[in-house]
Amino acid sequence: MMHQAHVTIAGAGFYVPPRVVTNNDLSQRLETDDEWIVQRTGIRQRHLVEESVTTTDLATRAAWAALDQSGTAAEEIDLVIVATSTPDDRFPSTAARVQHAIGATHAAAFDLSAACSGFVYATAVGSQWIETGCFRNALVVGVDVFSRIVDWRDRRTAILFGDGAGAVLLRRTEKPYPYYLSLGADGSGGELLRAPMGGPVSMNGTEVYKFGVRIIPSLLQEALQALHLTIDDLALVIPHQANARIIESAAKKGGYPFEKFFLNVDRYGNTSAASIPIALTEALQQKVVREGDLVAMIGFGGGLTWGIHVLSVYAR
Ligand code: UT7
């Protein structure tokens, strides 16, 4: 596995629909309460779409924001990848629709499905094509609208998810920068987290919880060891925002300082493929991550799938 690559995150942006649904709002229609949800998950509210809003709408707005922030014109994009498990149609892909909506007239476009690991899988693909010299600018979007696929009568799953989209612009750099990638899958765990065609999300919460707590520190340790770095060399770890308790337990298990892990699940819930780019954008906005810094993005979820991607931000 390569430990350097000519690729950086040149910009990021996100979009969530304006409608905020609090835990108390949910307790009006489900047998649940704010205290239970906060204690078990750290989630306080989530943003949910109105009926007329599509996955493409969210993805397009996030794409615009990332382009804007990176100062890149749509015509300069060579590739659009959209990671999603909730596309509007089987085809055309969400990516093709985004490509058209933003005017990325020179870009190839396709969707990628790896559930909550989708964004890390997609940055892996995009960055590798950049490293080969095939492409210079890749727009990677993570978007999901789980409010359309959860069973709103099932309190064990309905409380967890929110809708949203996040995007990054990956760009080729002159010099190589630290880089690490590791992806994995175990289809034998497919039933633990599933959304069948036309049916709602079902989940074995306890098993998925344990999987998250195990895989986060294991991936982080693998990456740091390979790069001959310590946790202090990373500006930030951006884990998939599934549940604050999973992240806290994972940090403890690996012996890593919890402050290194970015957390915003309290405000957005689990937005699946969108959670990492939304978190990354907020970290950039808060200046927690600055030019040349290294970040580790860690995804895990349905498949089962998992992945870690370490790369630099705003490098030249
Ligand atoms: O992207 C990955 C997506 N998946 C995840 O992140 C999920 C990972 N798993 C989890 O986060 C946790 O397993 C949950 C938050 C889903 C559940 O927490 P838990 O501590 O594992 O609770 P549990 O499933 O063991 O349920 C404990 C109790 C049960 O009642 P009884 O059987 O003990 O009487 C549930 O019926 O809590 C009950 N319960 C609830 N009560 C109030 C389950 N959901 C709720 C709820 N409100 N929303």
Side-chain angles (χ1 to χ4, degrees), residues 69-202:
Q69 208 252 333
S70 67
T72 308
E75 301 80 38
E76 294 176 61
I77 301 171
D78 306 300
L79 175 67
V80 178
I81 310 178
V82 174
T84 186
S85 307
T86 49
D88 297 316
D89 290 307
R90 291 183 204 270
F91 61 84
S93 65
T94 311
R97 290 209 167 107
V98 170
Q99 178 268 340
H100 174 63
I102 64 175
T105 44
H106 300 116
F110 67 94
D111 284 3
L112 185 154
S113 163
C116 299
S117 312
F119 185 75
V120 172
Y121 266 68
T123 59
V125 174
S127 64
Q128 285 299 314
W129 269 337
I130 289 173
E131 179 60 14
T132 62
C134 187
F135 293 133
R136 192 178 137 69
N137 290 308
L139 179 70
V140 179
V141 184
V143 58
D144 267 309
V145 183
F146 265 48
S147 65
R148 299 237 157 89
I149 59 165
V150 294
D151 177 354
W152 281 105
R153 294 161 307 181
D154 177 9
R155 66 177 183 175
R156 291 168 305 144
T157 50
I159 56 133
L160 297 173
F161 298 100
D163 302 332
V168 299
L169 195 280
L170 298 176
R171 173 171 295 153
R172 187 167 173 91
T173 54
E174 290 288 320
K175 289 186 307 178
Y177 289 90
Y179 177 98
Y180 186 77
L181 188 59
S182 175
L183 305 174
D186 175 9
S188 74
E191 295 300 319
L192 297 178
L193 187 52
R194 182 165 181 223
M197 285 292 175
V201 174
S202 67

Side-chain angles (χ1 to χ4, degrees), residues 11-15 61-67 69 165-169 277-278 281 284-285:
F14 79 98
Y15 180 76
R61 283 173 181 261
W64 272 329
L67 284 190
Q69 208 252 333
V168 299
L169 195 280
I278 293 175
T281 308
L284 290 171
Q285 287 171 350

Side-chain angles (χ1 to χ4, degrees), residues 19-38:
R19 179 161 66 111
V20 171
V21 175
T22 64
N23 294 344
N24 282 331
D25 293 336
L26 290 183
S27 68
Q28 310 292 312
R29 49 175 158 159
L30 279 171
E31 202 184 312
T32 188
D33 57 82
D34 180 58
E35 197 188 335
W36 192 96
I37 300 174
V38 171

